[in-house]
Amino acid sequence: MISRISHPWWKDATIYQVYPASFKDSNGDGWGDIPGLVSKLDYLSTLGVDVVWLSPMFESPQADMGYDISDYQKVYAPYGTVEDVDSLVEGCHSRGMKLILDLVVNHTSKEHEWFKESRSSKDNPKRNWYIWKPARYDQDGNRRPPTNWRSYFAGGTWTWDELTQEYYLHLYASDQPDLNWDNEACRQAIYDNAMRFWLDRGVDGFRVDTVNKYSKRTEFVDAKMTDPNSEWQQAPEMWCNGPRIHEFLKEMNTEVLDHYDTVTVGELSNTPAPRQVLDYVSAGERELDMVFQFDMIRLGTGDGFGSKYDFQPWKLTTLKTFVERWQKFIEGTDGWTTVFCENHDNGRAVSRFGNDSLVQHWETSAKMIALWQATLTGTLFLYQGQEIGMTNMPRNWPIEEYKDIESNNFYQEAEQSGDPERVEKVMNGLQILARDHSRIPFQWDDSPHGGFTAPDATPWMRAHDDYPKINAAKQLRDPKSVLSFYRDMLKLRKDYADVFVHGTFDLLDSKNEKVFSYVKTSSLDTQKRALVVLNFSADEMVISETVGALIKEMGQRVLIATSPSLQSEQTGDDRTFLLGAYEGRIYIDH
């Protein structure tokens, strides 16, 4: 048996998420595919990537872009074949990289054979592999769902099945019925079909989708009324961090993961308390290696349910609070954390945390974000296109360009309300926060569709209008590009791993609403420190006295900066204590 505690190769890793539909199309059908990804492995290796995380490529009707799986052991034909995945494993391993897949086992597609059997009759052996409940009836005799819970994709969480005259539970779309993890036979089938099958083929682990939702509260009672304008009420307390969740994750390790050299990173929503998160990532508990905690990346969103796309302007001090909390919660423990600001479910970082104006601040703020992310403690995750500063879709694109089921459901719900102000508010929120922004095709070069697919093909999503200006080929030729800066930062992160990957974090000037400053101290030598100073505004800022004194104490030695004029061993001019718009620097004292 392999000890997962004594071999934490994943702590120092940079993990790069690939969204297969949008990365690289090799055959001109408008869909990205696995052979296309294989053709770009040298690009990822040169960038400094250690692990490729491939988002769902399994057989699926694509109601939710592959998060509705109909067969765990097949590949969706436009993406390729199982043999293509084998080639991807070999291609990663031959370059010293690893490959992890998405493990989506809170739910399946309604087209999965398990669910087809489950809904075929009430006495089918797989009936209890899913969650079925009888109807309720109101005082007028009208049939009603078992509870009033609101789903993540708008509407309710229950769908009526005419054949067996019961409702089935789905936290997401009705196409995605939830599996019943309380059923042991169901769990064993998951371990065999969704995990061992791929681990035996050489896959190195999993990003575990919706990991804290396997265990539901079984009372199935109504949630309290918090949205008087809807019959459906948010109820994450009914299905997140349920009574058996830690039992299930420990069993997953005992049954499967402990027998392989793997990494797991869980998607942990609705879990704001550090102590509660530590229960999942404590090495001694042997559940998950690390998790994605979403306080910071959800800045600006509503409650995640009915008001998710009611955008709320946020303050830098709030961002600092979240970063500090999740940097420090592992100090003095056996837990581990993650670093990320983009993924397939959120808008682009440069548009949300920086400034995507190509006229002025796009390049500088994209580099500032790179410097910020690469200096934080934990395992670093990048999302495809982040390294070239890809931006949100243009604001003038109509709702028809938004392909995501969540975006369309929220927009349709707003339209059905008959309230023009609500429609406008939701559309504004989508223009900033929608999942679609991260899913437009990767911008490889300035050829049609950004080089994502053949010139005469029709891509499944429209390429960004700015691909002639923002693309990988252009940036590969430019040593001062965003891409080149990401390469430099990833190398620097490895060179100073004791400071940036494993070091302690101490926030400075916590109340400053424009400049984010912190000290990272080495895990090996407490005399070895780095000072990170980041201007999160479009204004030129004077460095505070506190930070300025520390710069002087450290000899004003600049390790790296987003401003080329400060790329020197030591500076002493007036610029030292001024920060340009979206400028970032690292000072080092050792």
Side-chain angles (χ1 to χ4, degrees):
M1 181 179 296
I2 296 171
S3 170
R4 304 172 71 228
I5 298 173
S6 63
H7 188 59
W9 52 264
W10 34 268
K11 287 190 174 183
D12 294 273
T14 294
I15 302 180
Y16 185 100
Q17 182 185 359
V18 170
Y19 198 72
S22 303
F23 192 59
K24 178 59 180 174
D25 173 22
S26 70
N27 59 6
D29 65 357
W31 278 82
D33 47 47
I34 296 168
L37 168 55
V38 171
S39 74
K40 296 297 183 180
L41 289 178
D42 285 338
Y43 166 84
L44 297 180
S45 179
T46 304
L47 174 61
V49 169
D50 302 296
V51 183
V52 175
W53 155 23
L54 180 60
S55 291
M57 75 301 164
F58 311 99
E59 185 69 74
S60 168
Q62 301 296 323
D64 182 24
M65 289 304 295
Y67 283 91
D68 51 318
I69 296 171
S70 56
D71 193 325
Y72 289 106
Q73 298 184 2
K74 291 183 179 178
V75 173
Y76 181 55
Y79 292 152
T81 64
V82 171
E83 289 70 31
D84 288 328
V85 178
D86 293 340
S87 297
L88 177 60
V89 170
E90 192 280 328
C92 287
H93 289 178
S94 67
R95 292 168 174 81
M97 298 189 295
K98 296 180 184 290
L99 175 70
I100 65 173
L101 303 182
D102 245 289
L103 182 63
V104 187
V105 290
N106 175 71
H107 47 264
T108 67
S109 166
K110 67 180 181 180
E111 300 302 321
H112 198 291
E113 288 302 319
W114 296 349
F115 187 68
K116 289 180 179 180
E117 288 189 49
S118 183
R119 77 188 307 180
S120 66
S121 70
K122 288 184 179 179
D123 58 2
N124 186 276
K126 290 188 175 61
R127 180 66 173 183
N128 289 327
W129 285 31
Y130 294 83
I131 299 171
W132 295 92
K133 294 294 173 184
R136 296 188 297 180
Y137 292 88
D138 63 22
Q139 59 185 9
D140 297 321
N142 298 310
R143 188 186 75 231
R144 303 295 300 153
T147 69
N148 67 347
W149 302 347
R150 179 187 173 92
S151 98
Y152 285 95
F153 289 168
T157 59
W158 298 94
T159 291
W160 178 251
D161 180 62
E162 283 290 343
L163 178 63
T164 59
Q165 295 288 294
E166 284 191 327
Y167 285 90
Y168 64 86
L169 178 71
H170 51 89
L171 300 185
Y172 296 90
S174 60
D175 307 77
Q176 296 166 286
D178 277 48
L179 288 158
N180 179 15
W181 273 71
D182 287 328
N183 184 294
E184 183 176 0
C186 176
R187 298 199 305 275
Q188 292 299 326
I190 289 168
Y191 301 153
D192 275 338
N193 284 262
M195 299 180 72
R196 293 190 186 96
F197 176 82
W198 294 106
L199 292 170
D200 287 341
R201 302 188 85 91
V203 167
D204 301 292
F206 300 101
R207 175 265 187 179
V208 190
D209 186 61
T210 61
V211 71
N212 58 336
K213 296 173 184 170
Y214 304 160
S215 176
K216 278 79 171 175
R217 287 175 54 182
T218 55
E219 306 96 316
F220 293 101
V221 295
D222 279 346
K224 66 181 179 180
M225 179 74 69
T226 56
D227 183 358
N229 298 315
S230 175
E231 62 179 312
W232 311 116
Q233 302 299 311
Q234 60 177 343
E237 70 277 5
M238 301 295 182
W239 60 71
C240 283
N241 309 310
R244 300 185 66 188
I245 187 62
H246 296 292
E247 172 194 342
F248 293 155
L249 293 178
K250 285 179 171 62
E251 180 185 86
M252 181 186 288
N253 277 271
T254 302
E255 292 280 335
V256 184
L257 295 170
D258 283 350
H259 303 276
Y260 302 85
D261 182 14
T262 63
V263 61
T264 54
V265 52
E267 181 189 28
L268 198 75
S269 62
N270 297 292
T271 312
R275 177 64 255 180
Q276 199 175 12
V277 174
L278 190 60
D279 289 341
Y280 286 92
V281 300
S282 165
E285 294 297 327
R286 293 172 59 246
E287 293 186 13
L288 297 163
D289 292 319
M290 51 191 156
V291 297
F292 297 126
Q293 206 287 337
F294 294 109
D295 283 351
M296 190 276 291
I297 204 171
R298 292 275 166 83
L299 277 171
T301 65
D303 57 14
F305 292 89
S307 64
K308 178 175 182 179
Y309 290 108
D310 294 352
F311 176 71
Q312 304 294 321
W314 51 273
K315 294 182 177 180
L316 181 62
T317 49
T318 305
L319 181 146
K320 290 179 184 181
T321 297
F322 290 148
V323 172
E324 181 182 34
R325 179 182 304 161
W326 299 110
Q327 284 287 281
K328 297 193 78 68
F329 97 106
I330 61 169
E331 291 180 10
T333 76
D334 64 348
W336 193 241
T337 193
T338 55
V339 181
F340 70 106
C341 64
E342 284 197 23
N343 63 25
H344 64 293
D345 282 337
N346 291 276
R348 288 290 185 174
V350 72
S351 298
R352 295 184 61 205
F353 304 112
N355 188 317
D356 59 12
S357 168
L358 294 184
V359 177
Q360 286 184 293
H361 302 305
W362 161 76
E363 181 176 334
T364 303
S365 65
K367 290 179 179 179
M368 185 270 290
I369 289 169
L371 193 152
W372 169 42
Q373 292 289 286
T375 55
L376 293 176
T377 296
T379 298
L380 177 62
F381 287 78
L382 301 180
Y383 181 74
Q384 64 180 45
Q386 180 179 340
E387 77 279 11
I388 61 170
M390 284 181 64
T391 64
N392 277 359
M393 296 155 54
R395 289 186 72 92
N396 62 358
W397 281 14
I399 189 62
E400 289 75 22
E401 298 293 350
Y402 290 73
K403 307 301 183 184
D404 178 45
I405 185 172
E406 181 179 271
S407 299
N408 282 281
N409 284 3
F410 271 79
Y411 188 82
Q412 290 167 15
E413 184 180 57
E415 279 194 319
Q416 291 165 5
S417 74
D419 181 354
E421 289 186 7
R422 184 176 176 189
V423 174
E424 183 180 358
K425 182 181 288 187
V426 168
M427 190 63 201
N428 178 65
L430 290 172
Q431 289 169 337
I432 302 167
L433 304 167
R435 307 196 305 176
D436 303 79
H437 298 298
S438 61
R439 303 178 181 190
I440 61 174
F442 189 98
Q443 294 152 211
W444 288 106
D445 55 40
D446 60 2
S447 64
H449 314 303
F452 160 71
T453 187
D456 58 350
T458 301
W460 78 278
M461 278 191 82
R462 175 179 170 183
H464 201 292
D465 297 344
D466 289 333
Y467 72 78
K469 299 175 183 177
I470 302 176
N471 63 73
K474 180 180 180 181
Q475 295 189 27
L476 283 167
R477 297 190 297 267
D478 180 2
K480 297 181 181 179
S481 67
V482 174
L483 176 59
S484 295
F485 192 78
Y486 264 95
R487 282 181 173 178
D488 292 344
M489 286 307 308
L490 295 184
K491 182 179 185 303
L492 200 69
R493 181 174 172 83
K494 284 186 168 58
D495 291 343
Y496 291 82
D498 59 318
V499 176
F500 298 134
V501 180
H502 300 278
T504 57
F505 174 99
D506 290 291
L507 180 64
L508 302 174
D509 286 350
S510 63
K511 298 187 185 304
N512 192 316
E513 289 290 1
K514 293 189 175 181
V515 179
F516 188 178
S517 305
Y518 50 90
V519 173
K520 295 297 300 296
T521 303
S522 168
S523 59
L524 302 176
D525 177 1
T526 56
Q527 300 302 308
K528 185 177 180 182
R529 299 176 301 169
L531 168 63
V532 181
V533 187
L534 308 162
N535 184 1
F536 269 77
S537 79
D539 301 320
E540 186 174 73
M541 298 298 299
V542 177
I543 289 175
S544 72
E545 290 184 10
T546 301
V547 175
L550 188 54
I551 291 173
K552 291 178 179 178
E553 180 186 326
M554 298 173 75
Q556 301 180 199
R557 286 183 291 273
V558 177
L559 180 64
I560 193 169
T562 58
S563 172
S565 64
L566 286 175
Q567 299 280 21
S568 61
E569 178 65 19
Q570 186 166 338
T571 61
D573 58 21
D574 292 339
R575 284 286 305 151
T576 300
F577 302 105
L578 286 177
L579 283 172
Y582 297 102
E583 185 177 349
R585 303 176 194 165
I586 304 173
Y587 293 90
I588 197 81
D589 68 353
H590 206 73

